[in-house]
């Protein structure tokens, strides 16, 4: 809790994956932006976390971090309302990470489902590193160094947050109650599939990016997969399970009922359906694109925002660490 504002603290982070797609917007950024008025928010570029998997090729991390912050700001994150910073600028996270690693049992980390999953699925990288195993410990340090109570995350991060709570509890048991246990704030959106119907992901080349042009977006929407049984316009369609219909539910929600009826009756063909979706999607994306272009006219401004953010973050992180060193008995 921030004593001067009486607001609870929110913390979240994202690994720099470069330019963001509409899935990031629907699944995270919309919520991050909306929390800014009710909470004191900290939003962090998790560039150290990116290193846990990308340590062998770091050529994109700096530029990807930059582009991601541009997208954050374009989606409404505001440096006046929130603390926006880069993890590697606040080295205090590393000290708390080290101290937490002393009391975190290896078995807790090894049984973390995301760890097990990635170790077995990702074969083109050597993930048998200390850093990758310790991913959730660093994530815990990120959150609790600000004593954040709420963490907006997607479903995939829930196991990490559960671990954070356990590590936090263990710390408090040993050294006194310093940290509140952070709780997740789950975004309640349906996952947007990519234009080919699979999970939207950079590696599948099926994403609609916030930085795509108006025409580029239309072109992508026109190439979207639809109900494979509907070939001609007057074929009977099956909107349930059709990616275009799922998008319509989000971007054209006033008309979904009619769209569903007309698709099923054969009155509405996929081409027209996609055209209407493209238009609606562009209406949502246009202001984001505009803001993006404006922001890119002054790149220094972005670096300044990050610098100011890290100063604010550092102040708080340092005061927490003073408490922590004393609680542990080092001082
Ligand atoms: N693990 C998160 C992700 O991959 C990024 C992250 C790092 C994070 N530190 C965090 C998220 C702290 C929430 C809180 O998206």
């Amino acid at each position: 809790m921030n004593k001067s504002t009486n607001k609870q603290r929110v913390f979240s982070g994202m690994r720099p994956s470069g330019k963001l797609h509409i899935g990031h917007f629907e699944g995270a950024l919309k919520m991050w932006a909306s929390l800014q008025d009710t909470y004191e928010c900290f939003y962090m570029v998790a560039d150290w976390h990116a290193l846990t998997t990308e340590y062998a090729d770091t050529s994109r991390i700096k530029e990807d971090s930059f582009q991601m912050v541009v997208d954050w700001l374009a989606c409404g994150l505001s440096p006046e309302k929130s603390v926006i910073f880069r993890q590697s600028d606040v080295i205090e996270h590393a000290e708390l990470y080290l101290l937490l690693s002393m009391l975190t049992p290896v078995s807790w980390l090894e049984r973390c489902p995301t760890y097990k999953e990635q170790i077995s699925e990702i074969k083109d990288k050597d993930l048998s590193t200390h850093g990758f195993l310790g991913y959730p410990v660093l994530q815990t340090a990120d959150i609790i160094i600000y004593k954040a109570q709420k963490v907006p995350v997607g479903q995939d991060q829930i196991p990490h947050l559960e671990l954070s709570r356990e590590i936090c509890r263990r710390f408090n048991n040993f050294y006194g109650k310093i940290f509140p246990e952070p709780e997740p704030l789950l975004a309640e959106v349906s996952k947007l599939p990519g234009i080919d119907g699979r999970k939207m992901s950079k590696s599948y080349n099926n994403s609609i990016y916030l930085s795509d042009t108006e025409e580029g977006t239309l072109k992508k929407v026109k190439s979207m997969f639809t109900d494979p049984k509907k070939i001609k316009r007057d074929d009977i369609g099956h909107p349930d399970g059709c990616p275009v219909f799922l998008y319509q539910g989000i971007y054209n929600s006033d008309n979904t009922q009619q769209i569903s009826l007309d698709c099923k009756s054969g009155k509405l063909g996929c081409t027209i359906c996609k055209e209407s979706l493209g238009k609606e999607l562009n209406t949502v994306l246009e202001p984001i694109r505009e803001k993006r272009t404006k922001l890119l006219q002054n790149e220094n401004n972005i670096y300044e925002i990050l610098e100011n953010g890290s100063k604010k973050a550092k102040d708080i992180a340092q005061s927490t660490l003073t408490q922590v060193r004393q609680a542990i008995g080092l001082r």
Side-chain angles (χ1 to χ4, degrees):
M1 183 85 75
N2 181 325
K3 292 200 186 76
S4 58
T5 59
N6 245 356
K7 282 179 177 169
Q8 282 204 331
R9 281 203 179 132
V10 152
F11 185 97
S12 201
M14 215 183 258
R15 275 171 298 170
S17 53
K19 45 188 193 166
L20 302 182
H21 54 59
I22 55 173
H24 294 113
F25 178 63
E26 296 298 334
L29 291 172
K30 244 188 186 171
M31 184 180 190
W32 287 19
S34 74
L35 294 169
Q36 294 182 112
D37 295 316
T38 333
Y39 294 92
E40 191 190 10
C41 298
F42 293 73
Y43 295 125
M44 179 193 80
V45 178
D47 54 353
W48 279 342
H49 275 108
L51 281 181
T52 61
T53 54
E54 307 307 314
Y55 61 86
D57 177 9
T58 54
S59 57
R60 294 211 48 84
I61 289 192
K62 208 169 131 196
E63 176 62 19
D64 280 353
S65 298
F66 178 85
Q67 291 298 335
M68 185 169 82
V69 172
V70 173
D71 279 334
W72 284 5
L73 299 168
C75 289
L77 297 201
S78 154
E80 269 99 57
K81 296 181 183 170
S82 302
V83 180
I84 298 169
F85 72 102
R86 220 166 19 182
Q87 191 177 32
S88 63
D89 283 331
V90 186
I91 52 164
E92 285 74 7
H93 290 224
E95 184 176 338
L96 186 55
Y97 164 64
L98 173 99
L99 295 169
L100 294 178
S101 78
M102 301 300 170
L103 56 93
T104 305
V106 172
S107 59
W108 289 8
L109 300 171
E110 283 173 336
R111 68 165 190 241
C112 179
T114 48
Y115 175 75
K116 288 196 286 194
E117 215 174 272
Q118 299 209 40
I119 284 283
S120 77
E121 271 174 24
I122 301 179
K123 291 289 174 224
D124 58 336
K125 290 173 191 150
D126 180 2
L127 297 182
S128 59
T129 59
H130 180 197
F132 187 67
L133 180 66
Y135 188 112
V137 186
L138 180 57
Q139 181 159 344
T140 305
D142 296 337
I143 301 166
I144 69 176
I145 206 163
Y146 304 103
K147 303 190 180 178
Q149 290 99 335
K150 295 283 191 294
V151 185
V153 283
Q155 190 66 42
D156 60 317
Q157 294 292 315
I158 293 295
H160 287 158
L161 214 65
E162 195 41 54
L163 250 172
S164 290
R165 293 162 61 80
E166 276 167 333
I167 296 171
C168 185
R169 221 173 288 149
R170 196 161 154 92
F171 182 100
N172 287 344
N173 277 336
F174 281 127
Y175 308 121
K177 196 171 177 326
I178 294 214
F179 298 114
E181 284 177 32
E183 286 168 19
L185 281 177
L186 255 190
E188 84 287 314
V189 281
S190 54
K191 270 228 148 88
L192 274 184
I195 57 175
D196 58 0
R198 294 189 291 173
K199 176 178 181 272
M200 191 178 289
S201 156
K202 195 154 119 185
S203 46
Y204 291 157
N205 207 7
N206 64 356
S207 307
I208 299 177
Y209 291 100
L210 298 175
S211 50
D212 282 343
T213 60
E214 186 178 346
E215 302 80 60
T217 304
L218 273 182
K219 216 169 130 197
K220 283 185 180 174
V221 171
K222 281 187 190 155
S223 72
M224 277 179 82
F225 282 31
T226 51
D227 172 10
K229 294 204 193 82
K230 191 172 166 84
I231 296 161
K232 298 192 298 304
R233 190 200 81 178
D234 45 10
D235 286 343
I236 288 168
H238 307 79
D240 294 332
C242 170
V244 173
F245 185 67
L246 209 151
Y247 275 55
Q248 294 278 28
I250 297 173
Y251 297 104
N252 205 355
S253 54
D254 290 347
N255 299 317
T256 27
Q257 237 176 351
Q258 196 60 47
I259 292 169
S260 172
L261 286 174
D262 293 348
C263 170
K264 283 182 191 159
S265 71
K267 197 168 148 202
L268 177 66
C270 296
T271 311
I272 306 278
C273 182
K274 287 174 180 179
E275 271 166 18
S276 74
L277 171 64
K279 226 173 101 205
E280 297 298 329
L281 186 55
N282 268 327
T283 312
V284 173
L285 293 179
E286 188 49 32
I288 299 177
R289 277 197 287 261
E290 251 173 52
K291 188 133 188 236
R292 212 179 183 285
T293 314
K294 238 199 213 138
L295 286 160
L296 284 173
Q297 283 162 4
N298 187 356
E299 294 199 356
N300 279 340
N301 186 31
I302 310 284
Y303 288 111
E304 242 165 63
I305 288 171
L306 287 175
E307 210 171 293
N308 286 334
S310 71
K311 275 189 202 138
K312 287 187 209 158
K314 231 173 169 41
D315 260 3
I316 300 163
Q318 278 174 351
S319 107
T320 304
L321 273 175
T322 305
Q323 269 180 304
V324 166
R325 293 184 201 116
Q326 266 167 8
I328 293 180
L330 294 164
R331 291 288 180 277

